Amino acid sequence: RRSGAQLRAARMLDQYEDEYRAHASDTLAKLETAESASHRDDRHAPTAAAACSLDAAKEVMELLEMECGALPKAQRTALSARVRSYRSELGDLGRRLKALQRVDARAASAASADSIREDLFSGANDQASERSRMLATNDRLAAGTDQLRQAHAATIDMEERGASIMGDLARQRDTLMRTRGTLGAAREGLDASRRILQQMGRRASTNKLMLRAIAGTVLLLLLFLLWPASQAATSAPPPPTSLAVHPKAARHGRQ
């Protein structure tokens, strides 16, 4: 029969698995909606929603892995297989999401290039206006290139920070798991000490009862041995009060 703590842990694991499945299903639905859209604007909203759902699923997966690490080995084996399948599923969803984001990025770049070409070739009849527009376009291209470089540098910096944060979280998770294992071992040690103290208490009570029984037996033996002597002393006849006549005195009396 499982204890209350094991039942609570089982319910918590079931809840985490249900939350993960809900987020994974929502991510898959949003990705399918975005993949079926033909225009970039129609893909933007479901792609962003899929990214949010995927992040939520990853957070639930981390909690599930922490709970799995604290389980006994017999229960952890069955859950670890499901956790690996969940991790594989998250990897597939992440790759599909990145593919959609790359498609949107290429579409945005193509739209920007079309806008630039339209600006370049509009008003071809006016040479001065065309020259000024070309110079402005070149300036915008240079500014856009600088912005792209800055965005790329910021993205790299964010990725490095994210990797550092994930490393810190992994170390903290390992520390928590080790602490939880240490607490479990300490709790088992306390339970063993409590059982030993209870056994010692029972033995002390048994020894006390045995001592009392021995003392009572000795007392009864003493009473049994002393009782006949006291009865004999009280029932013995008293000594005679008259003096005995010496034989020579008796002969003198007869003479």
Side-chain angles (χ1 to χ4, degrees):
R1 187 175 56 184
R2 294 191 298 180
S3 62
Q6 290 177 342
L7 290 174
R8 286 193 296 271
R11 286 196 295 269
M12 185 66 70
L13 288 173
D14 292 338
Q15 181 180 355
Y16 286 156
E17 289 194 75
D18 292 339
E19 290 181 4
Y20 166 77
R21 294 190 188 98
H23 290 310
S25 299
D26 185 62
T27 303
L28 181 60
K30 295 295 189 300
L31 287 175
E32 290 177 350
T33 302
E35 288 171 350
S36 62
S38 58
H39 195 269
R40 181 175 64 89
D41 294 336
D42 297 333
R43 289 193 300 268
H44 180 71
T47 302
C52 294
S53 298
L54 185 61
D55 291 338
K58 290 180 179 178
E59 292 178 358
V60 176
M61 177 58 60
E62 291 178 357
L63 296 175
L64 186 60
E65 288 178 342
M66 290 179 63
E67 292 294 332
C68 177
L71 288 176
K73 186 176 181 180
Q75 301 177 8
R76 187 169 61 241
T77 303
L79 183 59
S80 297
R82 297 201 300 273
V83 169
R84 286 193 296 270
S85 66
Y86 295 156
R87 273 294 178 190
S88 177
E89 184 180 11
L90 284 177
D92 294 337
L93 294 175
R95 285 189 289 272
R96 292 177 65 177
L97 178 62
K98 288 181 179 179
L100 281 174
Q101 290 173 345
R102 285 194 296 268
V103 170
D104 289 341
R106 286 196 296 269
S109 178
S112 177
D114 292 339
S115 176
I116 292 172
R117 282 194 295 271
E118 290 178 358
D119 292 339
L120 285 173
F121 293 104
S122 62
N125 295 326
D126 191 355
Q127 295 292 331
S129 177
E130 182 179 356
R131 181 179 177 81
S132 63
R133 280 196 297 270
M134 290 180 65
L135 291 174
T137 301
N138 289 331
D139 292 338
R140 281 186 292 177
L141 284 173
T145 302
D146 292 337
Q147 291 178 357
L148 286 175
R149 289 175 180 173
Q150 293 174 2
H152 182 66
T155 302
I156 293 174
D157 183 62
M158 290 177 64
E159 287 180 354
E160 292 176 352
R161 291 183 181 180
S164 176
I165 291 171
M166 289 299 294
D168 293 338
L169 290 175
R171 287 190 293 271
Q172 292 176 6
R173 182 182 62 187
D174 294 337
T175 303
L176 288 174
M177 291 172 64
R178 287 194 297 270
T179 303
R180 189 162 186 172
T182 303
L183 290 176
R187 181 176 58 192
E188 293 176 357
L190 290 175
D191 292 339
S193 300
R194 182 178 59 189
R195 288 193 296 271
I196 293 172
L197 290 175
Q198 290 176 353
Q199 292 175 0
M200 293 175 64
R202 287 195 294 269
R203 290 178 182 175
S205 300
T206 304
N207 292 336
K208 188 182 294 183
L209 291 175
M210 291 177 65
L211 288 174
R212 290 180 179 176
I214 292 170
T217 304
V218 172
L219 182 60
L220 290 175
L221 288 174
L222 289 175
L223 291 175
F224 180 75
L225 294 174
L226 294 176
W227 178 258
S230 63
Q231 290 295 325
T234 55
S235 62
T241 58
S242 61
L243 296 174
V245 180
H246 197 270
K248 292 183 177 181
R251 284 197 299 271
H252 286 297
R254 284 196 297 272
Q255 292 177 0

